């Protein structure tokens, strides 16, 4: 996610800092890295994430620095491009050069935890209560919690209020509503609807609400429920209500089309809100992702990054990293981080207050309550299914295969057949 939110005042409470004190077993630390004059004294830790956007990196650098100060260490913070993070982590795991504190997209945690590169957080006495079940499961592998997310996200339907009012179109709630609204909003130079249908995991992410809300399942992609969901997207393109160019649009480019008035509705995430708010001429609203029929609730994917403590040669450094991790996930800091990045705080005690203070995010708060993690069913095998999904989307929307044919091929990709 790219956050354009302005920097806010950091709030690291002394109460939270005191609560994060962990017992450190530093006697006899032998590696000597990051130590001061006293043998075994840890004075710094290394941190790796993929927040390369300049403002976002600066925000995280400041929060990590504040939590590092509370833990008594300096933080050496490095960010790499998202696509480079997992390959780098796998190389570092092999060479035993992992950072002390590591951020991962929650969908990647299973893959990394399976290698034995991460440590369970109960080793450090970190309290994992107070998180919603779905959020906690995002950081869990084989029954043990390896990562915690300070905030989470999902997707919803953004719409241009002025365009809907001019066309006399109501905000769509069902798939039939969506077809009719998109058709009614389409004009020369403007499409009614836009999604990310690119050959990336972003496309799979955007498709999941349609798959899941229709009773589809990533364990079996070649089902009528999955085909019906993909048929909806195909119909929007074939009818001219959605541009065929969605096959190449990222979520950022979908946003650009919406902001420029070239599409009246889009599926996207809350991290787009700062840029939307910055455009004074754009009158926008947000609603839940439309569902197959009235009475159903949308089931959306849970996004967000989890923070983990990798295996390392120094228990003392791991303990310090765990203190910083706990600080990032304190109630006060989950609220601060969520407000900065226009996401949803992961602590249940914070969510109600957050929704009151940020009404434009209320839809996302509600959707997160029933959101699912992408790895809940398949674990480390999720990337194969995601590849199958976006491959099917590309083929079906390009008219190369029917949804049924494309999804049969997707199932073969998912299972490796």
């Amino acid at each position: 996610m790219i956050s354009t939110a302005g920097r806010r005042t950091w709030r690291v409470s002394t109460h939270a800092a005191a609560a994060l004190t962990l017992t450190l077993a530093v006697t006899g630390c032998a590696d000597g890295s990051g130590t001061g004059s006293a043998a075994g004294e840890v004075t710094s830790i290394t941190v790796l994430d993929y927040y390369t956007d300049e403002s976002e990196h600066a925000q995280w650098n400041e929060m990590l620095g504040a939590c590092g100060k509370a833990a008594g260490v300096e933080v050496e913070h490095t960010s790499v491009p998202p696509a480079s993070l997992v390959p780098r982590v796998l190389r570092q795991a092999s060479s035993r050069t992992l950072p002390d504190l590591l951020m991962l997209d929650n969908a990647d945690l299973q893959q990394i935890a399976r290698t034995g590169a991460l440590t369970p957080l109960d080793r450090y006495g970190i309290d994992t209560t107070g998180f919603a079940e779905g959020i906690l499961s995002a950081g869990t592998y084989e029954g043990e919690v390896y990562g915690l997310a300070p905030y989470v996200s999902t997707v919803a339907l953004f719409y241009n209020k002025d365009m809907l009012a001019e066309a006399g179109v109501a905000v769509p709630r069902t798939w039939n509503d969506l077809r009719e609204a998109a058709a009614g909003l389409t004009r020369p130079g403007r499409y009614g609807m836009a999604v990310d249908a690119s050959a990336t995991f972003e496309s799979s992410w955007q498709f999941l609400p349609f798959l899941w809300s229709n009773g589809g399942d990533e364990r079996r992609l070649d089902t009528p429920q999955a085909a019906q969901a993909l048929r909806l997207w195909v119909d929007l393109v074939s009818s001219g209500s959605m541009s065929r160019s969605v096959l190449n649009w990222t979520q950022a480019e979908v946003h650009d089309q919406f902001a420029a008035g070239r599409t009246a509705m889009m599926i996207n995430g809350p991290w787009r809100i700062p840029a939307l708010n910055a455009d004074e001429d754009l009158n926008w609203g947000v609603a839940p992702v439309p569902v197959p029929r009235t009475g159903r609730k949308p089931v959306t994917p849970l996004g967000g990054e989890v923070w983990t403590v990798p295996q390392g040669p120094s228990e003392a450094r791991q303990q310090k990293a765990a203190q910083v991790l706990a600080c990032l996930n304190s109630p006060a800091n989950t609220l601060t981080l969520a407000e900065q990045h226009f996401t949803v705080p992961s602590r249940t005690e914070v969510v109600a207050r957050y929704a009151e203070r940020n009404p434009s995010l209320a839809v996302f708060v509600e959707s997160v309550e029933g959101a699912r993690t992408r790895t809940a069913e398949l674990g480390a095998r999720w990337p194969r299914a995601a590849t199958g999904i976006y491959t099917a989307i590309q083929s079906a929307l390009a008219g190369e295969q029917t949804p049924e044919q494309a999804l049969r091929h997707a199932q073969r990709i998912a299972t490796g057949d």
Side-chain angles (χ1 to χ4, degrees), residues 164 167 169-172 176-186 192 241 264-265:
L164 266 68
V169 170
V171 177
N176 284 338
D177 292 344
L178 181 60
R179 286 189 179 95
E180 294 175 4
L185 290 163
T186 299
S241 297
M265 299 182 293

Side-chain angles (χ1 to χ4, degrees), residues 249-281:
W249 288 347
T250 65
Q251 290 184 121
E253 289 166 330
V254 168
H255 168 268
D256 292 342
Q257 295 292 318
F258 181 78
R262 291 191 287 269
T263 185
M265 299 182 293
M266 68 170 178
I267 299 294
N268 228 314
W271 53 89
R272 298 295 166 195
I273 291 177
L276 295 175
N277 284 339
D279 188 342
E280 296 180 356
D281 296 326

Side-chain angles (χ1 to χ4, degrees), residues 67-336:
C67 284
K69 185 176 180 180
V73 292
E74 292 186 3
V75 171
E76 299 171 11
H77 178 205
T78 301
S79 297
V80 297
S84 302
L85 183 65
V86 169
R88 175 167 175 157
V89 168
L90 292 172
R91 288 195 304 270
Q92 290 180 327
S94 177
S95 61
R96 302 186 179 222
T97 56
L98 285 163
D100 300 307
L101 184 62
L102 171 65
M103 181 228 73
L104 294 167
D105 180 14
N106 72 66
D108 294 324
L109 180 130
Q110 301 272 334
Q111 177 186 1
I112 303 304
R114 187 174 62 169
T115 70
L118 306 178
T119 59
L121 299 184
D122 61 0
R123 176 183 299 185
Y124 312 104
I126 293 178
D127 183 8
T128 58
T129 60
F131 293 85
E133 182 179 350
I135 294 171
L136 197 59
S137 70
T140 300
Y141 174 70
E142 293 190 342
E144 292 197 273
V145 179
Y146 287 87
L148 287 178
Y151 56 68
V152 292
S153 63
T154 190
V155 292
L157 178 76
F158 288 85
Y159 58 93
N160 186 303
K161 291 183 177 181
D162 294 335
M163 290 180 183
L164 266 68
E166 178 189 11
V169 170
V171 177
R173 303 295 179 182
T174 67
W175 288 3
N176 284 338
D177 292 344
L178 181 60
R179 286 189 179 95
E180 294 175 4
L185 290 163
T186 299
R187 302 276 191 280
R190 185 182 85 196
Y191 291 93
M193 179 66 177
V195 298
D196 175 342
S198 62
T200 68
F201 287 171
E202 283 189 359
S203 175
S204 305
W205 154 267
Q206 290 219 342
F207 182 70
L208 284 175
F210 299 90
L211 174 69
W212 286 343
S213 299
N214 198 42
D217 193 323
E218 60 271 32
R219 292 174 297 182
R220 293 298 311 181
L221 296 173
D222 53 347
T223 63
Q225 293 88 347
Q228 289 162 5
L230 185 51
R231 171 62 63 187
L232 172 65
W233 283 25
V234 170
D235 288 348
L236 289 169
V237 171
S238 62
S239 68
S241 297
M242 190 159 71
S243 172
R244 195 173 297 272
S245 295
V246 297
L247 288 164
N248 301 309
W249 288 347
T250 65
Q251 290 184 121
E253 289 166 330
V254 168
H255 168 268
D256 292 342
Q257 295 292 318
F258 181 78
R262 291 191 287 269
T263 185
M265 299 182 293
M266 68 170 178
I267 299 294
N268 228 314
W271 53 89
R272 298 295 166 195
I273 291 177
L276 295 175
N277 284 339
D279 188 342
E280 296 180 356
D281 296 326
L282 188 61
N283 186 18
W284 60 275
V286 62
V289 176
V291 292
R293 59 191 63 89
T294 302
R296 290 202 177 183
K297 288 188 175 182
V299 183
T300 59
L302 189 70
E305 295 80 22
V306 293
W307 290 84
T308 68
V309 179
Q311 295 280 4
S314 168
E315 178 69 16
R317 294 179 71 88
Q318 290 173 231
Q319 291 279 4
K320 287 293 186 180
Q323 283 186 271
V324 175
L325 184 152
C327 175
L328 296 177
N329 287 277
S330 70
N333 286 338
T334 61
L335 178 60
T336 296

